[in-house]
DNA sequence: ATCGCAGCCTGTACGC
DNA sequence: TGCGTACAGGCTGCGA
């Protein structure tokens, strides 16, 4: 499930592939619904100038102020292939850069491409990225204490903080020793600050270990060249229901919060 | 303001 | 072996 660390892993892989400066020679969309906004054909003839990330969006900036944003949602993947390579399984689109091809596949077809010129406006609904230099613990604590929502719901809200998904929300709440259903405005400043640190920590660890890959399924996260991430081996609570808490050895519980499976230690994370 | 649910999808794991 | 079913989760849109 691509969350911030998985998306960052993909972006870093793309940067290492030396795509910057290459010109788009051909765009193929094999599943029309892939492009939800704009027209991917407008990329033709433009040059890739920058690759970065905001929240869970991969941002490809081309010349002529042309942007392509890719959201992988659940099972979207980017592969680098050769022009002569056959259609990949579940392939939905590809962008040709001379002799290099960025190929997009998606088993469940939730992922989308968005082409636009005003990327700021498009991303205006997103909350701060946890690694944005303008974002800090003080701002986060202030925002937390101003909300009456449950912590898990809040962390999954991309307009509150961009990039956290179900896995890292659970891991961050465990690290901060906070119950997923705690109301945000019930936190002390110290607890809120601990949560900020915990979010950054689990996301950093995710990036360091190349993202998280669950199970062995086709929909599973892989890097650009098909390698699995290693971060799932470090989960403390996610999908560890019934197993001993690494902190107190009591069994981890699984509940449903906001239609999301939620894993926590009832003895370390009290309401 | 906040929550709950359906919908978008298909592969996988499970019980029988 | 094979069938049916539940489940996985990012996000939007809708209704309560």
């Amino acid at each position: 499930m691509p969350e911030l660390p998985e998306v960052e892993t993909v972006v870093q892989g793309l940067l290492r592939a030396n795509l910057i400066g290459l010109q788009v020679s051909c765009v193929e969309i094999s599943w029309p619904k892939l492009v939800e906004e704009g027209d991917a054909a407008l990329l033709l003839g433009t040059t890739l100038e920058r690759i970065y990330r905001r929240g869970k969006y991969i941002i490809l900036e081309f010349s002529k102020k042309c942007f392509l944003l890719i959201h992988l949602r659940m099972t979207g993947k980017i592969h680098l292939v050769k022009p002569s390579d056959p259609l990949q399984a579940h392939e939905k689109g590809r962008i040709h850069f001379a002799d290099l091809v960025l190929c997009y596949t998606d088993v469940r077809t939730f992922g989308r491409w968005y082409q636009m010129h005003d990327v700021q406006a498009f991303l205006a609904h997103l909350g701060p990225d946890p690694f944005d230099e303008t974002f800090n613990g003080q701002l986060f604590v202030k925002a937390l204490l101003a909300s009456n929502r449950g912590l898990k719901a809040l962390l999954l809200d991309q307009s509150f903080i961009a990039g956290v998904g179900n896995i890292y929300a659970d891991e961050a709440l465990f690290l901060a020793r906070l119950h997923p259903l705690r109301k945000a405005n019930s936190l002390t400043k110290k607890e809120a600050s601990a949560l900020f640190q915990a979010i950054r920590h689990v996301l950093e660890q995710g990036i360091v270990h190349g993202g998280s890959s669950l199970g062995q399924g086709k929909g599973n996260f892989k890097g650009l060249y098909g390698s699995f991430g290693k971060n799932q081996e470090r989960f403390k609570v996610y999908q560890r229901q019934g197993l001993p808490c690494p902190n107190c050895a009591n069994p981890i519980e699984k509940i449903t919060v906001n239609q999301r499976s939620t894993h926590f230690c009832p003895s370390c994370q009290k309401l």
Side-chain angles (χ1 to χ4, degrees):
Chain A
M1 293 98 247
E3 303 182 24
L4 189 153
E6 290 72 36
V7 174
E8 179 66 27
T9 299
V10 171
V11 166
Q12 289 179 9
L14 288 172
L15 287 172
R16 280 196 300 270
N18 295 319
L19 294 164
I20 303 292
L22 300 184
Q23 191 177 36
V24 176
S25 55
C26 181
V27 177
E28 293 175 281
I29 304 297
S30 40
W31 186 67
K33 283 174 75 177
L34 175 63
V35 184
E36 189 167 308
E37 174 164 327
D39 182 359
L42 294 179
L43 302 178
L44 261 179
T46 64
T47 300
L48 184 57
E49 294 183 338
R50 196 178 159 211
I51 305 169
Y52 59 107
R53 177 195 63 72
R54 174 84 197 282
K56 299 173 193 169
Y57 288 91
I58 297 165
I59 304 176
L60 305 176
E61 181 176 346
F62 296 85
S63 58
K64 301 180 190 169
K65 297 270 186 290
C66 198
F67 290 84
L68 182 73
L69 272 57
I70 299 179
H71 198 305
L72 304 172
R73 294 285 181 97
M74 306 299 301
T75 52
K77 285 184 195 65
I78 292 175
H79 317 252
L80 293 175
V81 302
K82 295 179 198 141
S84 56
D85 284 338
L87 206 68
Q88 304 291 301
H90 308 289
E91 178 171 332
K92 302 290 182 262
R94 50 172 71 186
I95 301 172
H96 292 252
F97 298 91
D99 55 347
L100 256 181
V101 177
L102 186 158
C103 172
Y104 179 83
T105 67
D106 196 340
V107 170
R108 290 176 69 181
T109 69
F110 286 171
R112 290 293 184 271
W113 288 11
Y114 310 85
Q115 180 277 325
M116 84 273 317
H117 291 91
D118 189 349
V119 72
Q120 303 275 33
F122 184 84
L123 296 176
H125 69 286
L126 281 188
D129 190 284
F131 296 111
D132 192 320
E133 49 198 35
T134 65
F135 188 54
N136 60 48
Q138 277 191 340
L139 288 171
F140 182 76
V141 169
K142 196 176 168 189
L144 267 184
L145 299 182
S147 171
N148 190 34
R149 299 174 70 184
L151 289 176
K152 178 73 184 271
L154 209 46
L155 294 187
L156 292 181
D157 183 346
Q158 301 301 298
S159 68
F160 184 77
I161 184 166
V164 178
N166 206 35
I167 295 171
Y168 294 96
D170 281 4
E171 293 297 316
L173 287 169
F174 173 77
L175 189 58
R177 303 282 187 261
L178 293 168
H179 193 289
L181 292 173
R182 269 287 286 284
K183 297 290 183 190
N185 58 11
S186 78
L187 267 56
T188 64
K189 281 191 177 178
K190 195 176 170 186
E191 286 174 325
S193 181
L195 182 54
F196 179 76
Q197 298 299 330
I199 290 167
R200 279 212 168 152
H201 181 80
V202 297
L203 293 175
E204 275 166 4
Q205 288 298 302
I207 293 169
V208 166
H209 296 97
S212 304
S213 303
L214 286 169
Q216 299 300 315
K218 291 179 187 172
N220 201 356
F221 171 75
K222 289 180 186 174
L224 284 191
Y225 304 104
S227 60
F228 286 104
K230 288 274 182 195
N231 195 57
Q232 65 281 2
E233 295 163 16
R234 315 180 71 81
F235 289 167
K236 304 285 195 297
V237 289
Y238 191 79
Q239 290 199 343
R240 294 182 54 82
Q241 59 272 21
L243 296 171
C245 166
N247 188 45
C248 73
N250 282 315
I252 299 300
E253 264 186 32
K254 177 180 172 182
I255 59 174
T256 298
V257 178
N258 292 73
Q259 294 103 249
R260 293 279 174 269
S261 64
T262 297
H263 315 75
F264 72 109
C265 171
S267 101
C268 294
Q269 300 165 266
K270 293 201 190 301
L271 254 183

Short mmCIF file of all heavy atoms in Angstrom, two decimals, chain A residues 157-188:
data_model
loop_
_atom_site.label_atom_id
_atom_site.label_comp_id
_atom_site.label_asym_id
_atom_site.label_seq_id
_atom_site.Cartn_x
_atom_site.Cartn_y
_atom_site.Cartn_z
N ASP A 157 -6.53 11.73 7.35
CA ASP A 157 -7.09 12.84 6.57
C ASP A 157 -5.95 13.60 5.89
O ASP A 157 -5.17 14.29 6.54
CB ASP A 157 -7.88 13.76 7.51
CG ASP A 157 -8.56 14.89 6.75
OD1 ASP A 157 -8.22 15.11 5.56
OD2 ASP A 157 -9.42 15.56 7.34
N GLN A 158 -5.90 13.50 4.56
CA GLN A 158 -4.79 14.09 3.82
C GLN A 158 -4.82 15.62 3.85
O GLN A 158 -3.81 16.26 3.54
CB GLN A 158 -4.78 13.60 2.37
CG GLN A 158 -4.67 12.09 2.26
CD GLN A 158 -3.41 11.53 2.90
OE1 GLN A 158 -2.30 11.85 2.48
NE2 GLN A 158 -3.58 10.71 3.94
N SER A 159 -5.96 16.20 4.23
CA SER A 159 -6.00 17.66 4.33
C SER A 159 -5.47 18.10 5.69
O SER A 159 -5.19 19.28 5.91
CB SER A 159 -7.42 18.18 4.11
OG SER A 159 -8.27 17.80 5.18
N PHE A 160 -5.31 17.14 6.59
CA PHE A 160 -4.72 17.47 7.90
C PHE A 160 -3.21 17.28 7.87
O PHE A 160 -2.45 18.15 8.27
CB PHE A 160 -5.34 16.59 9.00
CG PHE A 160 -4.83 16.94 10.38
CD1 PHE A 160 -5.30 18.06 11.04
CD2 PHE A 160 -3.87 16.16 10.99
CE1 PHE A 160 -4.82 18.39 12.30
CE2 PHE A 160 -3.38 16.48 12.24
CZ PHE A 160 -3.87 17.60 12.90
N ILE A 161 -2.79 16.13 7.39
CA ILE A 161 -1.37 15.87 7.19
C ILE A 161 -1.26 14.95 5.98
O ILE A 161 -1.99 13.96 5.88
CB ILE A 161 -0.69 15.28 8.45
CG1 ILE A 161 0.80 15.13 8.23
CG2 ILE A 161 -1.33 13.97 8.88
CD1 ILE A 161 1.58 14.88 9.53
N ALA A 162 -0.39 15.29 5.05
CA ALA A 162 -0.35 14.59 3.77
C ALA A 162 0.70 13.49 3.75
O ALA A 162 1.87 13.75 4.03
CB ALA A 162 -0.09 15.58 2.63
N GLY A 163 0.28 12.28 3.46
CA GLY A 163 1.25 11.20 3.26
C GLY A 163 1.09 10.02 4.18
O GLY A 163 1.58 8.94 3.90
N VAL A 164 0.42 10.23 5.32
CA VAL A 164 0.22 9.14 6.27
C VAL A 164 -0.95 8.27 5.81
O VAL A 164 -2.00 8.79 5.45
CB VAL A 164 -0.06 9.68 7.69
CG1 VAL A 164 -0.31 8.53 8.65
CG2 VAL A 164 1.09 10.54 8.17
N GLY A 165 -0.76 6.97 5.81
CA GLY A 165 -1.83 6.04 5.47
C GLY A 165 -2.07 5.10 6.64
O GLY A 165 -1.59 5.32 7.76
N ASN A 166 -2.80 4.03 6.39
CA ASN A 166 -3.25 3.16 7.47
C ASN A 166 -2.09 2.52 8.26
O ASN A 166 -2.14 2.44 9.48
CB ASN A 166 -4.16 2.07 6.91
CG ASN A 166 -5.13 1.56 7.95
OD1 ASN A 166 -5.61 2.33 8.78
ND2 ASN A 166 -5.40 0.28 7.93
N ILE A 167 -1.09 2.08 7.54
CA ILE A 167 0.03 1.40 8.22
C ILE A 167 0.77 2.35 9.15
O ILE A 167 0.94 2.08 10.35
CB ILE A 167 1.03 0.84 7.17
CG1 ILE A 167 0.36 -0.24 6.34
CG2 ILE A 167 2.29 0.32 7.86
CD1 ILE A 167 1.20 -0.70 5.15
N TYR A 168 1.22 3.46 8.59
CA TYR A 168 2.07 4.35 9.38
C TYR A 168 1.28 5.10 10.45
O TYR A 168 1.84 5.49 11.47
CB TYR A 168 2.84 5.30 8.44
CG TYR A 168 3.83 4.52 7.59
CD1 TYR A 168 3.50 4.11 6.30
CD2 TYR A 168 5.06 4.14 8.10
CE1 TYR A 168 4.38 3.36 5.54
CE2 TYR A 168 5.96 3.39 7.34
CZ TYR A 168 5.61 3.00 6.06
OH TYR A 168 6.48 2.25 5.32
N ALA A 169 -0.04 5.26 10.24
CA ALA A 169 -0.87 5.85 11.29
C ALA A 169 -0.86 4.94 12.52
O ALA A 169 -0.64 5.40 13.65
CB ALA A 169 -2.29 6.04 10.78
N ASP A 170 -1.08 3.65 12.30
CA ASP A 170 -1.08 2.71 13.43
C ASP A 170 0.29 2.66 14.11
O ASP A 170 0.38 2.64 15.35
CB ASP A 170 -1.44 1.30 12.95
CG ASP A 170 -2.94 1.12 12.73
OD1 ASP A 170 -3.68 2.12 12.88
OD2 ASP A 170 -3.38 0.01 12.40
N GLU A 171 1.34 2.62 13.31
CA GLU A 171 2.69 2.53 13.87
C GLU A 171 3.05 3.79 14.66
O GLU A 171 3.66 3.72 15.73
CB GLU A 171 3.70 2.28 12.75
CG GLU A 171 3.56 0.91 12.09
CD GLU A 171 3.82 -0.25 13.05
OE1 GLU A 171 4.79 -0.17 13.83
OE2 GLU A 171 3.04 -1.22 13.04
N ALA A 172 2.65 4.94 14.13
CA ALA A 172 2.96 6.21 14.81
C ALA A 172 2.21 6.31 16.14
O ALA A 172 2.77 6.72 17.16
CB ALA A 172 2.63 7.40 13.91
N LEU A 173 0.93 5.91 16.13
CA LEU A 173 0.14 5.98 17.36
C LEU A 173 0.70 5.04 18.42
O LEU A 173 0.72 5.37 19.61
CB LEU A 173 -1.33 5.66 17.07
CG LEU A 173 -2.08 6.77 16.33
CD1 LEU A 173 -3.45 6.29 15.84
CD2 LEU A 173 -2.25 8.00 17.21
N PHE A 174 1.17 3.88 17.98
CA PHE A 174 1.78 2.96 18.94
C PHE A 174 3.06 3.56 19.52
O PHE A 174 3.26 3.54 20.74
CB PHE A 174 2.10 1.61 18.29
CG PHE A 174 2.88 0.70 19.19
CD1 PHE A 174 2.24 0.03 20.23
CD2 PHE A 174 4.25 0.53 19.04
CE1 PHE A 174 2.95 -0.80 21.09
CE2 PHE A 174 4.96 -0.30 19.90
CZ PHE A 174 4.31 -0.95 20.93
N LEU A 175 3.88 4.10 18.68
CA LEU A 175 5.15 4.67 19.14
C LEU A 175 4.91 5.82 20.12
O LEU A 175 5.64 5.98 21.09
CB LEU A 175 5.95 5.17 17.93
CG LEU A 175 7.39 5.60 18.17
CD1 LEU A 175 8.20 4.47 18.79
CD2 LEU A 175 8.02 6.06 16.87
N ALA A 176 3.83 6.58 19.88
CA ALA A 176 3.51 7.71 20.77
C ALA A 176 2.68 7.26 21.96
O ALA A 176 2.33 8.08 22.82
CB ALA A 176 2.79 8.79 19.98
N ARG A 177 2.32 5.95 22.00
CA ARG A 177 1.53 5.39 23.10
C ARG A 177 0.17 6.07 23.21
O ARG A 177 -0.32 6.36 24.31
CB ARG A 177 2.27 5.53 24.44
CG ARG A 177 3.65 4.89 24.46
CD ARG A 177 3.54 3.39 24.64
NE ARG A 177 4.84 2.78 24.83
CZ ARG A 177 5.54 2.17 23.86
NH1 ARG A 177 5.06 2.12 22.62
NH2 ARG A 177 6.70 1.61 24.10
N LEU A 178 -0.46 6.31 22.06
CA LEU A 178 -1.76 6.98 22.06
C LEU A 178 -2.82 6.08 21.43
O LEU A 178 -2.59 5.48 20.37
CB LEU A 178 -1.67 8.30 21.28
CG LEU A 178 -0.78 9.36 21.92
CD1 LEU A 178 -0.51 10.51 20.95
CD2 LEU A 178 -1.42 9.88 23.21
N HIS A 179 -3.98 6.02 22.06
CA HIS A 179 -5.09 5.21 21.56
C HIS A 179 -5.65 5.84 20.28
O HIS A 179 -5.84 7.05 20.23
CB HIS A 179 -6.18 5.10 22.63
CG HIS A 179 -7.22 4.06 22.36
ND1 HIS A 179 -8.16 4.19 21.36
CD2 HIS A 179 -7.44 2.84 22.93
CE1 HIS A 179 -8.94 3.12 21.34
NE2 HIS A 179 -8.53 2.28 22.29
N PRO A 180 -5.94 5.01 19.26
CA PRO A 180 -6.42 5.55 17.98
C PRO A 180 -7.72 6.34 18.10
O PRO A 180 -8.01 7.18 17.24
CB PRO A 180 -6.66 4.29 17.13
CG PRO A 180 -6.09 3.14 17.87
CD PRO A 180 -5.74 3.55 19.24
N LEU A 181 -8.52 6.07 19.12
CA LEU A 181 -9.80 6.77 19.26
C LEU A 181 -9.72 8.00 20.16
O LEU A 181 -10.73 8.68 20.36
CB LEU A 181 -10.88 5.80 19.80
CG LEU A 181 -11.29 4.68 18.85
CD1 LEU A 181 -12.21 3.68 19.54
CD2 LEU A 181 -11.97 5.26 17.62
N ARG A 182 -8.54 8.27 20.72
CA ARG A 182 -8.40 9.49 21.54
C ARG A 182 -8.80 10.71 20.72
O ARG A 182 -8.44 10.84 19.54
CB ARG A 182 -6.93 9.68 21.96
CG ARG A 182 -6.52 9.06 23.27
CD ARG A 182 -7.02 9.74 24.51
NE ARG A 182 -6.39 10.99 24.88
CZ ARG A 182 -5.18 11.12 25.44
NH1 ARG A 182 -4.42 10.06 25.66
NH2 ARG A 182 -4.74 12.31 25.79
N LYS A 183 -9.54 11.60 21.32
CA LYS A 183 -9.86 12.86 20.65
C LYS A 183 -8.60 13.73 20.63
O LYS A 183 -7.90 13.84 21.65
CB LYS A 183 -10.97 13.60 21.39
CG LYS A 183 -12.29 12.83 21.42
CD LYS A 183 -12.94 12.77 20.05
CE LYS A 183 -14.29 12.07 20.11
NZ LYS A 183 -14.82 11.78 18.77
N ALA A 184 -8.34 14.34 19.49
CA ALA A 184 -7.10 15.10 19.34
C ALA A 184 -6.99 16.21 20.38
O ALA A 184 -5.91 16.45 20.93
CB ALA A 184 -7.02 15.67 17.92
N ASN A 185 -8.11 16.86 20.67
CA ASN A 185 -8.04 18.00 21.60
C ASN A 185 -7.98 17.56 23.07
O ASN A 185 -7.99 18.40 23.97
CB ASN A 185 -9.19 18.98 21.37
CG ASN A 185 -10.56 18.30 21.53
OD1 ASN A 185 -10.64 17.16 22.00
ND2 ASN A 185 -11.60 19.00 21.12
N SER A 186 -7.91 16.24 23.30
CA SER A 186 -7.74 15.77 24.67
C SER A 186 -6.26 15.55 25.01
O SER A 186 -5.92 15.23 26.15
CB SER A 186 -8.50 14.44 24.88
OG SER A 186 -7.78 13.35 24.34
N LEU A 187 -5.41 15.74 24.02
CA LEU A 187 -3.98 15.49 24.24
C LEU A 187 -3.31 16.62 25.01
O LEU A 187 -3.68 17.79 24.87
CB LEU A 187 -3.26 15.32 22.88
CG LEU A 187 -3.12 13.90 22.33
CD1 LEU A 187 -4.46 13.21 22.20
CD2 LEU A 187 -2.41 13.92 20.99
N THR A 188 -2.33 16.25 25.82
CA THR A 188 -1.46 17.28 26.39
C THR A 188 -0.49 17.72 25.31
O THR A 188 -0.32 17.03 24.30
CB THR A 188 -0.65 16.73 27.58
OG1 THR A 188 0.23 15.71 27.08
CG2 THR A 188 -1.57 16.12 28.65
#
